[in-house]
Amino acid sequence: MNRFTSTLLLLLISVSLAAQQDNLHRRSSTYEAPEDPLVVEKLEAWQDLKFGMLIHWGLYAVPGIMESWTLCSEDWINRPDGMSYNDYKEWYWNLNSVFNPVNFNPEDWAAAAENAGMKYVVFTTKHHDGFNMFDTDETDYKITAGPFRDHPRANVTEHVFNAFRDRDFMVGAYYSKPDWHNQDFWWDKYATPNRNVNYDIRRYPERWKAYQDFTYNQIEELMTQYGDIDILWLDGGWVRPKHTVNEEVIAWGAPIPEFSQEIDMDGIAAMARKAQPGIIIADRTVHGPYENYQTPERTVPEIKLDNPWESNLPFANNWGYVPNDEFKSVRRVIHTLVDIVSKGGNFLLGVGPTSDGIIPLDVVAKLEEIGGWMDTNGEAIYGTRAIERYRDGQVCFTGKGEQRFAIVLQEENEELSEVSWSGNVPAGASVRLLGYKEPLPARTAAGRTVITLPDDLPAELRQQAALSFAFTAK
């Protein structure tokens, strides 16, 4: 690596963190429930899982920069001085010549996710930069055409899906609707001023039709050649029919062209559900029948939501691997999970492997700590639903049939001797502290249920990020 390239990488890493915050997929305010009974059934099963892993992995892992976005010429994005935009794009596109993840071992990834208590995975088959992590016939810009092509696991998507299926995970295929490498989306005839298609579709309908066919064919490959797929997770919500662009979409701030960027979701959905009956489609932020669940990015809704939803947040500041990135604490992840679940959602936690195919060991260790808490408290998480009274200060509530759970969030270095929440436990009901063998007595004081923790409570329980109590509803 020459001095110029080394300097470039350091500068790119330094600008990644701030930029990530300026480009979020918001939550749609309206929701259209699916009618297909197989989709409804799978969506219900997905809601039971609660905790999943989103894996961002692609060319951007090679220099360790923010995924794809530095290719985009919008004013919230920064790039190093001293390099033209066209030279930068050429440098980025050519990262495919050095991407060689020789230590790729998806079984390790799946084990780390399972040890964290996760139950489903969403894997980036292609991000906005157009580099394909599967062996598509539609382009040579793919992992199986570079230095990794002769590796027995060169078709990485196939092996990721298989490794997670072997551990009974639901499997989701992330696919970017925009493709900045494709000449039918970003055509070299014109400049690329923003994230959208860079020519007027109305003037060149045959070019856009070629892009529609490309998109359809790639998704068909994923739906027919990679085994059972449970979720089609479509990113790039600005690529959408014009009739779905309302005041809310405009208020989100992403540039929207005057013409419709329709990729024929009706045809894609029909094909996908013929190949994968009941598949959940998450066409992010596009109001209508193919946003089967909502996906607020980097945020947790302030209130309980009654429709299916999933908060997706990166473990670090970036979605993909960036050296020396700052990770969230285990306690913060657990508190976020409890908050999300109490409001009726799922939590998709983002993890980025290195360019040689490894989930960093410090990430694996943190995931295992999270899993330790889930081993003890999973009964209060998996298979639950939000109930009417879902929060009281530092206490979150979940429900499962007649069973109720009160999950008390503890701050760092806080060791509670007594816990309480508003409302009374039904008379005669026993209260269990998950992980402790004996039922605990509860008393009522000033309209609150009060539980004194036993003196012999093991330190590993008393010092948890959150304590979970189970009781029966009236």
Side-chain angles (χ1 to χ4, degrees):
M1 184 180 294
N2 61 40
R3 183 180 301 175
F4 177 80
T5 302
S6 299
T7 303
L8 173 64
L9 300 190
L10 290 173
L11 287 169
L12 287 173
I13 291 166
S14 70
V15 302
S16 288
L17 304 184
Q20 284 281 6
Q21 302 297 329
D22 294 327
N23 186 60
L24 306 181
H25 274 70
R26 282 14 184 233
R27 179 179 66 85
S28 307
S29 61
T30 60
Y31 175 72
E32 184 176 331
E35 298 180 356
D36 183 333
L38 293 179
V39 177
V40 173
E41 180 182 0
K42 180 158 286 192
L43 199 55
E44 192 72 16
W46 170 81
Q47 288 181 278
D48 286 342
L49 305 183
K50 300 305 179 189
F51 195 24
M53 176 181 283
L54 173 59
I55 303 175
H56 266 79
W57 195 41
L59 292 183
Y60 38 86
V62 177
I65 60 174
M66 175 178 60
E67 67 293 335
S68 293
W69 279 103
T70 52
L71 286 168
C72 186
S73 188
E74 294 177 12
D75 59 10
W76 64 274
I77 295 167
N78 194 9
R79 282 181 294 273
D81 296 334
M83 190 177 195
S84 74
Y85 180 38
N86 285 337
D87 285 347
Y88 180 84
K89 287 194 291 186
E90 183 177 358
W91 168 81
Y92 187 101
W93 300 136
N94 287 329
L95 290 172
N96 69 320
S97 66
V98 294
F99 186 24
N100 191 21
V102 293
N103 292 315
F104 170 61
N105 188 341
E107 285 79 14
D108 288 347
W109 299 5
E114 184 177 54
N115 289 341
M118 294 167 166
K119 301 293 185 181
Y120 68 105
V121 66
V122 177
F123 177 69
T124 47
T125 66
K126 185 190 71 170
H127 204 255
H128 313 327
D129 59 13
F131 185 75
N132 295 272
M133 300 297 288
F134 66 106
D135 190 28
T136 177
D137 289 334
E138 296 298 306
T139 176
D140 287 334
Y141 201 59
K142 57 186 179 180
I143 188 71
T144 53
F148 200 55
R149 62 183 173 272
D150 295 326
H151 193 281
R153 293 183 165 187
N155 193 0
V156 299
T157 292
E158 175 187 3
H159 296 284
V160 169
F161 287 171
N162 286 342
F164 279 87
R165 279 197 211 97
D166 286 347
R167 294 179 182 267
D168 295 324
F169 275 56
M170 271 196 182
V171 168
Y174 171 118
Y175 181 87
S176 169
K177 293 184 293 183
D179 186 321
W180 296 334
H181 188 264
N182 189 303
Q183 284 291 301
D184 293 321
F185 195 88
W186 272 7
W187 186 9
D188 281 350
K189 179 176 179 178
Y190 296 110
T192 53
N194 57 41
R195 68 190 69 188
N196 295 292
V197 58
N198 72 331
Y199 60 90
D200 191 329
I201 290 171
R202 297 166 296 188
R203 291 181 59 196
Y204 301 100
E206 72 290 343
R207 185 169 285 270
W208 185 249
K209 179 61 168 62
Y211 187 70
Q212 288 179 317
D213 292 344
F214 169 85
T215 302
Y216 182 100
N217 291 342
Q218 283 207 314
I219 295 176
E220 185 176 41
E221 289 174 328
L222 291 169
M223 295 297 102
T224 60
Q225 299 177 22
Y226 290 84
D228 293 339
I229 308 294
D230 301 290
I231 304 163
L232 176 58
W233 210 87
L234 297 174
D235 204 8
W238 60 92
V239 176
R240 60 193 301 140
K242 184 66 175 177
H243 70 83
T244 68
V245 179
N246 56 19
E247 291 183 2
E248 178 181 52
V249 175
I250 294 171
W252 290 336
I256 303 291
E258 295 181 2
F259 45 79
S260 181
Q261 295 186 96
E262 169 60 68
I263 59 167
D264 185 21
M265 274 304 302
D266 289 342
I268 288 171
M271 170 270 294
R273 287 186 169 145
K274 181 179 179 181
Q276 304 283 347
I279 190 172
I280 301 166
I281 299 176
D283 191 7
R284 303 186 64 203
T285 75
V286 181
H287 310 65
Y290 307 121
E291 191 183 24
N292 295 156
Y293 64 79
Q294 297 171 317
T295 57
E297 182 175 342
R298 291 181 179 265
T299 60
V300 178
E302 294 183 0
I303 60 173
K304 175 175 75 74
L305 302 177
D306 294 328
N307 52 262
W309 61 278
E310 166 195 84
S311 276
N312 54 96
L313 296 91
F315 206 156
N317 288 304
N318 294 271
W319 293 106
Y321 171 75
V322 173
N324 303 314
D325 212 347
E326 183 178 353
F327 286 87
K328 297 172 178 63
S329 69
V330 168
R331 185 176 300 270
R332 181 178 172 188
V333 172
I334 291 171
H335 285 193
T336 301
L337 173 65
V338 172
D339 185 30
I340 290 170
V341 172
S342 72
K343 294 172 180 173
N346 282 22
F347 183 12
L348 190 62
L349 183 65
V351 172
T354 64
S355 62
D356 60 349
I358 296 172
I359 294 179
L361 293 179
D362 54 344
V363 177
V364 173
K366 284 177 177 286
L367 290 172
E368 189 168 359
E369 285 188 60
I370 294 167
W373 185 87
M374 292 290 279
D375 287 344
T376 300
N377 297 274
E379 183 185 348
I381 300 295
Y382 303 123
T384 63
R385 293 295 184 270
I387 60 177
E388 183 176 354
R389 185 170 63 96
Y390 63 91
R391 185 96 188 217
D392 175 27
Q394 289 298 100
V395 185
C396 297
F397 300 95
T398 62
K400 188 187 301 180
E402 293 295 312
Q403 193 81 349
R404 294 291 180 266
F405 301 94
I407 309 173
V408 183
L409 306 181
Q410 288 200 104
E411 298 304 325
E412 191 75 34
N413 300 319
E414 181 181 20
E415 291 189 26
L416 300 173
S417 59
E418 186 177 86
V419 299
S420 71
W421 57 83
S422 62
N424 298 331
V425 172
S430 63
V431 176
R432 291 185 295 119
L433 170 62
L434 301 190
Y436 187 70
K437 60 184 182 299
E438 300 294 337
L440 301 179
R443 59 187 174 86
T444 299
R448 297 182 68 82
T449 293
V450 182
I451 298 172
T452 300
L453 299 180
D455 292 336
D456 66 346
L457 188 66
E460 61 268 22
L461 284 180
R462 190 183 297 273
Q463 296 168 3
Q464 291 183 101
L467 303 170
S468 301
F469 297 86
F471 56 94
T472 304
K474 291 182 179 179

